[in-house]
Amino acid sequence: MSAVPHDAATEAPRRPLPETLLAALRTRFGERCSTAEAVRLQHGRDESPFPVTPPDAVVFCESSEEVAFVVRLAGEHRVPLIPYGTGSSLEGHLLAVQGGLSVDVSRLTRVLRIDADDLTATVEAGVTREQLNAELGLFFPVDPGANASIGGMAATRASGTNAVRYGTMRENVLALTVVTGTGEVVRTGTRARKSAAGYDLTRLFVGSEGTLGVMTELTVRLYPLPEAVSAAVCHFPDVASAVRTTIQTIQLGVPIARCELLDVNAVRAVNRQSGLGLREAPMLLMEFHGSPAGVQEQAETVQAIAAELGGEDFEWADTPEERSRLWAARHRAYFAGMQQHPGTRSVTTDTCVPISRLAEIVEASVADAEASGLPYYIVGHVGDGNFHLAYLVREGDAAQRATAEAMSERMVRRAIAMEGTCSGEHGVGLHKMGFLEEEAGAGGIALMRAVKQALDPLGILNPGKIFRA
Amino acid sequence: MSAVPHDAATEAPRRPLPETLLAALRTRFGERCSTAEAVRLQHGRDESPFPVTPPDAVVFCESSEEVAFVVRLAGEHRVPLIPYGTGSSLEGHLLAVQGGLSVDVSRLTRVLRIDADDLTATVEAGVTREQLNAELGLFFPVDPGANASIGGMAATRASGTNAVRYGTMRENVLALTVVTGTGEVVRTGTRARKSAAGYDLTRLFVGSEGTLGVMTELTVRLYPLPEAVSAAVCHFPDVASAVRTTIQTIQLGVPIARCELLDVNAVRAVNRQSGLGLREAPMLLMEFHGSPAGVQEQAETVQAIAAELGGEDFEWADTPEERSRLWAARHRAYFAGMQQHPGTRSVTTDTCVPISRLAEIVEASVADAEASGLPYYIVGHVGDGNFHLAYLVREGDAAQRATAEAMSERMVRRAIAMEGTCSGEHGVGLHKMGFLEEEAGAGGIALMRAVKQALDPLGILNPGKIFRA
């Protein structure tokens, strides 16, 4: 594992697209096949700090059959192919490190079915989470910060602030339509809530980051809108007390819906950007779902725990407007953090540990960050044991970047030693390939490679991601 | 798909165990390698109606390394190998249709760790669910009827009565130690609650029925014991009203912990066996978990729904003794059903459908069963859309067996047409191989076969199960 394991990947060999391939794409897709530089540049980056690495062409697909056509053609020519949704991934998933085609599914935006009685929806892969929730009198809970596509969220096994109660994409995708590495359109799973019928192909594709197939349709679980919702903010003298409050809440079995940590730096950034006027101290932002009485009971339990651990200024946000303002601010924390320090990009960690170890890893990592002198902030889905410490490094400053990557590496080593994971929700992409090797070990990597070889025998699906070539 | 697709499998070629293999096993395992007929017969059956099909030898393993030794040896000799826990599977999973070795892991009974603060436990594969729960001040919720081994439950993706609230083995296994098809000992997953680090190997092995590897250790999720528990029984004029009550309960988002249907035949059988004196009418047996106030609120909501749909005699079972008696009776329903008709075995269905279709499939299947004249009964985890209609056929009566299998086939076709699954929780084994082909389609089966070939290149792991050779 090297401190900056990913930059090497951009040095992989590239060869120009075969002319016959391009001609076939242009015949079928016309204007929807683009080699314009602006389009290629847009599709050669995500929200990671990596240098833009554009594909050779971008194809805007509008159906599973079109995706299958592109996959078969790419297979014939042994050309790499990267599925693209909204470009909001964080670990370099979308960079065309071996050139090839970007298969843009963002025009697959039809909500195909809402089965309200069954609490399921079937959508095309380019539908975004905000679009889906806007069409519902129900609730799709998985909410990464960005307004990501449902396909991209499944591909990276995304979660977000509601996962502590409602689970991640792992728990909330019931079935998929996938274009396989050989260009077949295959349906995995059914609309039944559970199944013991054969291998769990759905969960094999969820989190596979475009390396095993291209998702084109997804059937997801929905939830009734909670009868009552209440949010609360509580401040703490230090991050550790906030974390300990979370740990006790989870251990008591309180069905808290959201439990988010913001450190003082994140609160400050959010205040600047959103004018919220929050007290600038470490803080938990919590939400409770249930019946009116149930919500009150949960909140009182947590309030009592917080009070014992030094929590102060427990404040309610009961109106939808207040809640929206708080959660919008939370979701903007990532960009707010960077805006505090113009000209920087963020090197973001994503460890997730067994909850009993959370205070310990946060404290050690804060000490490391403080000693480095780099600006940083912390936000965390602490109810899951998952937090993000983002180091802000000046764009192009190799020394700062190396300092940040070295801290990130130390944090991952801590997490693995605590039986945790290098990625709670952002995925592996380019950035965490070395970390995954440490976490999964040679045996685990060998199994993953065997699966990759079996489902993508031509090696064309997002090559150079998840594991090194 | 043929009506009795499985019997053909028992005709597959067998060859005697190589003497050198047997000698190597005897040297390493001594008395723990047995070719005694009684031992072989015991390991050549499960709770399915198939003829006993014994392995050629049984090896009682006591560590991952011992399992790995057997797998490597079996690989060298290309001899099939079937993991064996408690023998309680229901679809012919354990039958040695191609001969070979039964690898008995029932002596792997150590509870390795209980991490109460993290709500996780790590156990060896032979630990049973009752053993695990007895050692806990916490709660492991997955409860198939039998006192199955945790390894077997994971291998068949088992669920049971608590799945509607707590999920199945799919949601409750965090990590595994697996012996792979090439005899490597590999750890999948960590103790973190969520992860986006690479392919979901854990969930690939869960439900793979011993065809991709042999599980030797499992890390599972635990839950705090609910502060309050309340159970209730409610009777209905017909099965459809009970099912509709369930549907509305789920649609309203009531976090009911258990919601079990027993038809009049099942109630009658349970009364005979357990002397419960329940009114002999279709019935829901429900349980609510939460705070005292929360439990009461949930129960009142369901009571109101039931009353609107013709439910009568809503009765509480608040003491632990009463509840235990009811749930013990429910768990014995399978055997009680058979005991009503001595000399019969049960052909059991296991469909699971989107909940809006549940009443319809139950009614159609009851009409079919009534017309057949065969004795039958229904129990169901109806909160998940999953139910079991068991046809009781005289042992050795081919005509009755064919009638039952034909009804089972019609029911599976109905379930698949309703976007449901042929197996909610029992797995595929021998019995549902033809059904899986219909459900997954050629594309899905091709993906599963590719995975099988990749992880079991020698084809030695429980061959002839899940898909036809």
Side-chain angles (χ1 to χ4, degrees):
Chain A
M1 189 164 75
S2 63
V4 191
H6 41 278
D7 286 345
T10 61
E11 293 156 20
R14 298 176 68 126
R15 58 190 179 89
L17 279 188
E19 269 309 315
T20 48
L21 166 68
L22 209 49
L25 289 173
R26 287 194 163 126
T27 302
R28 171 95 185 230
F29 293 93
E31 301 271 297
R32 289 192 287 123
C33 170
S34 173
T35 53
E37 195 183 3
V39 175
R40 291 172 46 236
L41 289 176
Q42 186 216 343
H43 285 76
R45 56 164 292 162
D46 56 14
E47 297 297 339
S48 67
F50 297 112
V52 176
T53 313
D56 298 308
V58 179
V59 188
F60 293 87
C61 289
E62 293 177 358
S63 69
S64 299
E65 288 62 39
E66 287 191 352
V67 172
F69 176 86
V70 178
V71 173
R72 285 194 299 269
L73 206 58
E76 283 165 28
H77 294 273
R78 302 291 191 278
V79 163
L81 172 155
I82 304 171
Y84 185 98
T86 64
S88 59
S89 58
L90 289 160
E91 302 289 6
H93 298 86
L94 300 171
L95 278 59
V97 291
Q98 298 179 24
L101 305 171
S102 177
V103 176
D104 186 312
V105 299
S106 67
R107 297 182 185 183
L108 286 164
T109 55
R110 287 184 303 163
V111 173
L112 300 168
R113 288 170 58 179
I114 305 270
D115 291 285
D117 286 350
D118 295 319
L119 300 169
T120 69
T122 300
V123 302
E124 290 185 328
V127 168
T128 65
R129 66 177 181 86
E130 288 178 5
Q131 181 194 348
L132 176 57
N133 275 299
E135 300 209 15
L136 296 174
L138 296 158
F139 168 48
F140 178 67
V142 188
D143 69 334
N147 183 24
S149 65
I150 304 294
M153 287 164 61
T156 53
R157 207 180 292 124
S159 49
T161 66
N162 287 296
V164 61
R165 169 136 172 191
Y166 298 94
T168 73
M169 291 303 275
R170 180 173 77 188
E171 286 79 26
N172 285 292
V173 177
L174 285 173
L176 296 168
T177 300
V178 174
V179 177
T180 69
T182 53
E184 307 287 320
V185 180
V186 173
R187 183 85 183 150
T188 73
T190 70
R191 286 205 306 113
R193 274 166 71 117
K194 66 180 194 182
S195 173
Y199 301 162
D200 194 344
L201 296 175
T202 302
R203 262 142 292 271
L204 182 59
F205 284 106
V206 169
S208 66
E209 305 186 6
T211 67
L212 297 180
V214 184
M215 298 174 190
T216 54
E217 294 176 13
L218 305 95
T219 299
V220 297
R221 288 184 67 164
L222 305 174
Y223 297 83
L225 286 167
E227 193 190 347
V229 176
S230 183
V233 163
C234 185
H235 294 92
F236 292 86
D238 47 45
V239 162
S241 327
V243 169
R244 289 200 185 95
T245 298
T246 306
I247 294 173
Q248 288 200 20
T249 300
I250 299 300
Q251 289 173 351
L252 267 178
V254 177
I256 194 167
R258 297 164 130 175
C259 186
E260 296 289 304
L261 170 73
L262 286 81
D263 78 343
V264 65
N265 298 328
V267 174
R268 196 171 291 141
V270 159
N271 272 345
R272 292 289 142 92
Q273 214 218 18
S274 307
L276 280 175
L278 293 163
R279 179 174 146 196
E280 296 191 352
M283 155 186 138
L284 286 180
L285 171 52
M286 296 165 279
E287 196 167 275
F288 306 95
H289 295 175
S291 66
V295 159
Q296 192 175 345
E297 192 174 51
Q298 292 173 47
E300 281 167 5
T301 304
V302 177
Q303 193 165 6
I305 296 169
E308 288 228 345
L309 291 164
E312 292 175 347
D313 309 335
F314 204 94
E315 279 172 50
W316 297 99
D318 284 328
T319 70
E321 296 70 29
E322 267 180 289
R323 282 203 309 275
S324 295
R325 215 161 53 99
L326 280 171
W327 287 108
R330 164 62 191 89
H331 276 144
R332 277 196 301 271
Y334 176 79
F335 293 103
M338 278 194 289
Q339 283 173 7
Q340 282 272 90
H341 300 272
T344 62
R345 297 210 74 170
S346 139
V347 174
T348 304
T349 67
D350 180 29
T351 56
C352 182
V353 296
I355 198 156
S356 70
R357 311 300 297 271
L358 184 59
E360 188 181 344
I361 191 169
V362 169
E363 285 181 317
S365 305
V366 163
D368 211 3
E370 285 289 341
S372 77
L374 285 185
Y376 73 93
Y377 65 90
I378 297 175
V379 291
H381 316 304
V382 283
D384 294 316
N386 182 211
F387 71 104
H388 308 300
L389 198 156
Y391 311 99
L392 301 172
V393 301
R394 273 192 302 272
E395 219 158 350
D397 186 327
Q400 286 202 346
R401 175 82 181 276
T403 302
E405 295 288 355
M407 287 193 286
S408 160
E409 188 173 324
R410 286 195 289 277
M411 190 193 304
V412 168
R413 289 242 165 86
R414 270 177 222 123
I416 292 173
M418 293 174 178
E419 303 175 272
T421 176
C422 64
S423 178
E425 58 179 16
H426 293 171
V428 177
L430 288 175
H431 195 194
K432 297 201 159 68
M433 294 193 294
F435 297 157
L436 180 65
E437 287 172 12
E438 285 213 3
E439 178 176 328
I445 295 286
L447 289 176
M448 292 186 204
R449 280 187 189 279
V451 170
K452 166 74 173 172
Q453 172 64 30
L455 297 199
D456 179 25
L458 305 174
I460 56 171
L461 296 173
N462 206 1
K465 310 292 166 60
I466 298 188
F467 16 70
R468 292 186 250 222
Chain B
M1 190 164 73
S2 63
V4 190
H6 41 278
D7 287 346
T10 60
E11 293 155 22
R14 298 175 67 125
R15 59 187 178 90
L17 280 189
E19 268 309 316
T20 49
L21 166 69
L22 209 48
L25 289 173
R26 286 196 164 124
T27 301
R28 170 97 186 225
F29 293 94
E31 300 271 295
R32 290 191 286 123
C33 171
S34 173
T35 54
E37 195 182 4
V39 175
R40 292 170 47 235
L41 289 176
Q42 185 216 346
H43 287 76
R45 55 164 291 160
D46 56 14
E47 297 296 340
S48 67
F50 297 111
V52 177
T53 312
D56 298 308
V58 179
V59 188
F60 294 88
C61 288
E62 293 176 0
S63 70
S64 298
E65 288 62 39
E66 286 191 352
V67 172
F69 176 85
V70 178
V71 172
R72 285 195 299 269
L73 205 59
E76 283 165 28
H77 293 274
R78 302 290 191 279
V79 163
L81 173 155
I82 304 170
Y84 185 98
T86 65
S88 59
S89 59
L90 289 160
E91 303 288 7
H93 298 85
L94 300 172
L95 278 59
V97 292
Q98 297 178 24
L101 305 171
S102 177
V103 176
D104 187 311
V105 299
S106 67
R107 298 183 185 182
L108 286 163
T109 55
R110 287 184 303 163
V111 173
L112 300 168
R113 288 169 57 177
I114 306 272
D115 291 285
D117 286 351
D118 295 319
L119 301 169
T120 68
T122 301
V123 302
E124 290 185 326
V127 168
T128 66
R129 64 176 182 87
E130 288 178 6
Q131 182 194 346
L132 176 56
N133 275 299
E135 300 208 14
L136 296 173
L138 296 158
F139 168 48
F140 179 67
V142 188
D143 69 333
N147 183 24
S149 66
I150 303 295
M153 286 163 62
T156 53
R157 207 181 291 124
S159 49
T161 66
N162 287 296
V164 61
R165 170 139 173 189
Y166 298 94
T168 72
M169 290 303 276
R170 180 173 77 188
E171 287 78 26
N172 286 293
V173 177
L174 285 173
L176 296 169
T177 300
V178 174
V179 177
T180 69
T182 52
E184 307 288 318
V185 180
V186 174
R187 182 85 184 152
T188 73
T190 70
R191 287 205 305 114
R193 274 167 71 118
K194 65 180 195 182
S195 173
Y199 300 162
D200 194 344
L201 296 175
T202 302
R203 262 142 291 272
L204 182 58
F205 284 106
V206 169
S208 66
E209 305 185 6
T211 67
L212 298 180
V214 184
M215 298 173 190
T216 54
E217 294 176 14
L218 304 96
T219 299
V220 297
R221 288 185 66 165
L222 304 174
Y223 297 82
L225 285 168
E227 192 189 349
V229 175
S230 182
V233 163
C234 185
H235 294 93
F236 292 86
D238 48 46
V239 162
S241 326
V243 169
R244 289 198 186 96
T245 298
T246 305
I247 294 173
Q248 288 199 20
T249 300
I250 298 300
Q251 288 173 352
L252 267 178
V254 177
I256 193 166
R258 295 165 131 174
C259 186
E260 296 288 304
L261 170 73
L262 286 81
D263 78 343
V264 64
N265 298 328
V267 174
R268 196 170 291 141
V270 158
N271 272 345
R272 292 289 142 92
Q273 215 219 16
S274 307
L276 280 176
L278 293 162
R279 179 173 146 197
E280 296 192 351
M283 151 187 142
L284 286 180
L285 172 52
M286 295 165 280
E287 195 167 275
F288 307 96
H289 295 176
S291 67
V295 158
Q296 191 176 345
E297 191 174 53
Q298 292 173 46
E300 281 167 4
T301 304
V302 177
Q303 192 166 8
I305 296 168
E308 287 226 346
L309 291 164
E312 290 175 349
D313 309 336
F314 203 93
E315 278 172 51
W316 297 100
D318 283 327
T319 69
E321 295 70 31
E322 266 180 291
R323 282 203 310 276
S324 295
R325 215 160 54 100
L326 280 170
W327 287 108
R330 165 62 191 87
H331 276 145
R332 278 196 301 270
Y334 176 79
F335 293 103
M338 277 194 290
Q339 283 172 5
Q340 281 272 89
H341 300 273
T344 62
R345 297 210 73 169
S346 139
V347 174
T348 304
T349 67
D350 180 31
T351 56
C352 182
V353 297
I355 198 157
S356 70
R357 311 300 296 272
L358 184 59
E360 189 181 344
I361 191 170
V362 170
E363 284 181 316
S365 305
V366 163
D368 213 2
E370 286 288 341
S372 77
L374 286 184
Y376 74 93
Y377 64 90
I378 296 175
V379 291
H381 316 304
V382 283
D384 294 316
N386 181 211
F387 71 103
H388 308 300
L389 198 157
Y391 311 101
L392 300 173
V393 301
R394 272 191 303 271
E395 219 158 349
D397 186 326
Q400 284 201 346
R401 175 82 182 275
T403 302
E405 295 288 353
M407 286 193 287
S408 161
E409 188 173 326
R410 287 194 289 277
M411 189 192 304
V412 168
R413 288 242 164 86
R414 271 178 220 122
I416 292 173
M418 292 174 179
E419 302 175 273
T421 178
C422 64
S423 178
E425 58 179 15
H426 293 171
V428 177
L430 288 174
H431 195 194
K432 296 201 160 67
M433 293 194 293
F435 297 157
L436 181 65
E437 287 172 12
E438 285 213 2
E439 178 176 328
I445 294 286
L447 289 176
M448 291 187 205
R449 280 187 189 280
V451 170
K452 166 73 173 172
Q453 172 64 31
L455 297 200
D456 178 25
L458 304 176
I460 56 171
L461 297 173
N462 206 0
K465 310 291 166 61
I466 298 188
F467 16 69
R468 292 186 251 223

